[in-house]
Amino acid sequence: METMALPVAEGGPWIGPDWTVELLDQLPDPPARRELLDGALIVTPPPSVRHQGVAGELYMALRAACPADHRVLMAPVDWRPDEHTVLQPDILVVPRSLSTGGQQVGTPSLAVEVLSPSTEWIDRGRKFTRYAEGG
């Protein structure tokens, strides 16, 4: 097995500024959510039951209203706008043509983050900006 050196920095869930999609894909599957945001690795705990309940209710409402040419998906599904960003919104509404298989999709028409105390600062901050920049 090949050993991989990973950049590490202190302070919250951020582990380093030089991550790429290739490095992220080499990590073993942990019981936590892993995302990249402008090259910084974000590792957050699995969502709570309350969080998943809210996300499930929103999914059902969006699914009922979704046009036929779109589909509603729940995390973990990757949106990879560039080589240094991999986001997993709690819920995505994506044109069917951009969600043909695998674990990633094209630019979503709608990205929903259910706020939790441990991740609200990330979701309302740079993640919000990246979603807006992505269209």
Side-chain angles (χ1 to χ4, degrees), residues 4-135:
M4 174 176 55
L6 303 175
V8 177
E10 293 183 24
W14 306 94
I15 297 183
D18 297 318
W19 282 76
T20 65
V21 170
E22 181 181 333
L23 282 175
L24 182 71
D25 288 342
Q26 292 177 32
L27 290 174
D29 290 329
R33 180 181 283 188
R34 303 170 307 183
E35 297 175 288
L36 292 179
L37 185 55
D38 298 327
L41 177 63
I42 302 170
V43 180
T44 55
S48 68
V49 170
R50 181 173 184 221
H51 178 281
Q52 290 300 81
V54 170
E57 294 294 326
L58 286 170
Y59 172 88
M60 297 294 286
L62 288 169
R63 180 71 181 92
C66 189
D69 63 339
H70 282 66
R71 61 193 318 187
V72 182
L73 303 170
M74 292 187 71
V77 175
D78 291 351
W79 173 54
R80 298 178 175 204
D82 60 50
E83 283 300 307
H84 296 280
T85 301
V86 177
L87 299 177
Q88 295 180 343
D90 292 308
I91 301 169
L92 302 96
V93 178
V94 183
R96 286 189 181 273
S97 63
L98 300 179
S99 59
T100 57
Q103 232 3 66
Q104 64 188 51
V105 297
T107 301
S109 299
L110 175 68
V112 177
E113 293 286 359
V114 177
L115 298 180
S116 296
S118 63
T119 60
E120 181 177 1
W121 66 278
I122 297 168
D123 293 340
R124 286 187 183 268
R126 186 68 183 133
K127 280 178 78 172
F128 180 85
T129 302
R130 289 296 281 145
Y131 291 135
E133 290 169 356

